[in-house]
């Protein structure tokens, strides 16, 4: 089937705010219908849906699903297919962190981070990736982090491990779904979102000094790379670091 451009559909997990909202807008800008997945931020998801539909000639729907809950992910997939008849792109953006001192970290907290950041993408790729594979084409982008590659912070050892694990998962799913579904990873450095808003002046200055561009990314700047990774036809099984030139 020759798919017409403006019929394409992208699911963005954690799409109501932060980087996810910028990714939603980037795909809408390129004429994709978008699924704005949220877990808690329903009001923000609704507001974004209205803004997107006002600004671009596309349809946006919001779907509540905790990515670590298999049943909810399957329902999200089914609702997407029912509404749009297809899924072209999945962006695994949903993520959490819980920076804390080692003495305050517990195995349960560690598992909670892994559940959302690693088991979540496993579930979404298992089901939505398999759907795409059976349809004969598709593209997946996983949002990891430079913390999962070479920028380690003991306070976020749980988060860093989850993001390293996601890169491993990316490689295995790329193999699993080859040659029909491309699976790539974008590993951002610091981004201006709620997740990075807790840094104090000293930490900010130190972070800026380690970035050649001397500043954090706007969410839209990372979203551009995510769109590129999703649509570049010969890009597969790659990990793209988008960190402004980290010198750490
Ligand atoms: P954020 O502002 O804290 O937003 C996190 C998003 O994840 C929210 O939309 C949230 O949805 C969603 N989410 C969390 N748990 C979820 C779950 N169980 N199911 C579904 N959605 C869930 O974070 P951000 O900075 O935009 O981060 C987006 C991604 O970029 C994450 O994977 C993060 O690790 C990665 N990243 C961020 C930075 C940075 O400096 N900010 C750097 C590198 C990588 P609700 O509000 O609806 O719960």
């Amino acid at each position: 089937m020759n798919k017409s451009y403006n019929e394409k559909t992208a699911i963005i997990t954690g799409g109501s705010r932060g980087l996810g909202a910028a990714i939603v807008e980037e795909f809408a800008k390129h004429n994709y219908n978008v699924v704005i997945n949220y877990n808690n931020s329903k009001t923000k998801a609704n507001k974004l849906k209205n803004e997107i539909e006002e600004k671009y000639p596309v349809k946006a729907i919001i779907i509540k699903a905790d990515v670590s809950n298999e049943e909810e992910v399957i329902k999200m997939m089914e609702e997407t297919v029912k509404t749009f008849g297809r899924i072209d792109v999945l962006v695994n953006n949903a993520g959490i962190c819980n920076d804390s001192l080692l003495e305050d970290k517990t195995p349960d907290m560690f598992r909670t981070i892994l559940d959302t950041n690693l088991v979540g993408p496993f579930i979404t790729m298992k089901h939505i990736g398999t759907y795409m594979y059976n349809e004969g084409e598709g593209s997946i982008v996983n949002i990891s982090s430079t913390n999962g590659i070479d920028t380690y912070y003991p306070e976020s050892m749980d988060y860093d491990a989850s993001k390293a694990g996601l890169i491993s998962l990316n490689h295995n799913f790329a193999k699993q779904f080859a040659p029909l579904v491309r699976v790539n990873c974008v590993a951002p450095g610091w981004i201006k979102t709620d997740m990075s808003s807790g840094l104090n002046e000293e930490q900010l200055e130190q972070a800026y000094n380690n970035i050649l561009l001397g500043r954090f990314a706007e969410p839209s700047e990372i979203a551009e790379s995510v769109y590129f990774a999703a649509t570049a036809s010969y890009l597969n099984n790659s990990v793209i670091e988008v960190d402004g030139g980290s010198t750490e």
Side-chain angles (χ1 to χ4, degrees):
M1 184 174 70
N2 191 10
K3 292 176 176 172
S4 118
Y5 198 60
N6 65 3
E7 282 172 1
K8 289 200 170 183
T9 300
I11 297 178
I12 293 93
T13 69
S16 71
R17 61 189 178 92
L19 175 59
I23 297 171
V24 164
E25 173 144 18
E26 187 68 24
F27 277 89
K29 201 190 282 178
H30 287 91
N31 287 322
Y32 276 70
N33 293 321
V34 283
V35 176
I36 304 168
N37 158 252
Y38 69 95
N39 191 27
N40 297 301
S41 304
K42 185 176 183 181
T43 309
K44 285 188 177 157
N46 249 322
K47 188 166 174 277
L48 181 64
K49 169 197 157 61
N50 293 335
E51 285 168 5
I52 290 290
E53 289 191 336
E54 219 164 86
K55 220 165 150 186
Y56 305 100
V58 301
K59 186 172 163 66
I61 60 170
I62 70 165
I63 302 181
K64 177 180 162 37
D66 173 348
V67 291
S68 67
N69 182 317
E70 187 169 27
E71 212 173 294
E72 291 182 20
V73 168
I74 291 171
K75 276 195 189 141
M76 172 167 72
M77 178 178 80
E78 289 171 348
E79 197 178 327
T80 303
V81 173
K82 201 171 145 204
T83 308
F84 296 116
R86 59 194 282 172
I87 305 170
D88 299 280
V89 172
L90 163 68
V91 181
N92 279 318
N93 164 78
I96 54 171
C97 66
N98 188 0
D99 289 6
S100 50
L101 297 174
L102 178 59
E103 60 253 40
D104 297 326
K105 287 192 187 292
T106 65
D108 275 349
M109 284 164 65
F110 198 102
R111 284 189 199 100
T112 302
I113 302 279
L114 288 188
D115 254 358
T116 297
N117 296 4
L118 190 55
V119 180
F122 161 73
I123 294 171
T124 58
M125 283 194 277
K126 176 177 176 183
H127 293 286
I128 301 171
T130 300
Y131 169 84
M132 290 171 167
Y133 186 84
N134 290 337
E135 288 292 300
E137 63 181 316
S139 174
I140 298 172
V141 181
N142 289 305
I143 307 299
S144 176
S145 165
T146 49
N147 289 40
I149 300 172
D150 56 8
T151 313
Y152 300 115
Y153 298 99
E155 316 83 61
S156 60
M157 58 173 68
D158 33 20
Y159 175 85
D160 298 3
S162 73
K163 292 298 182 179
L166 183 55
I167 290 172
S168 166
L169 206 59
N170 191 91
H171 293 310
N172 274 316
F173 272 104
K175 267 195 151 177
Q176 177 74 34
F177 293 143
L180 302 178
V181 178
R182 293 181 302 102
V183 185
N184 290 291
C185 185
V186 169
W190 288 108
I191 315 165
K192 278 189 221 165
T193 65
D194 292 345
M195 193 178 270
S196 61
S197 63
L199 298 185
N200 61 36
E201 283 303 317
E202 195 188 326
Q203 290 168 318
L204 280 176
E205 202 182 309
Q206 202 185 339
Y208 294 157
N209 285 338
N210 289 331
I211 302 168
L212 292 180
L213 291 183
R215 61 179 177 82
F216 287 2
E218 295 296 334
S220 60
E221 294 178 296
I222 305 298
E224 285 172 1
S225 302
V226 174
Y227 181 76
F228 167 76
T231 55
S233 59
Y234 201 64
L235 193 76
N236 194 20
N237 199 24
S238 290
V239 180
I240 307 174
E241 287 183 64
V242 190
D243 59 9
S246 169
T247 56
E248 264 191 282

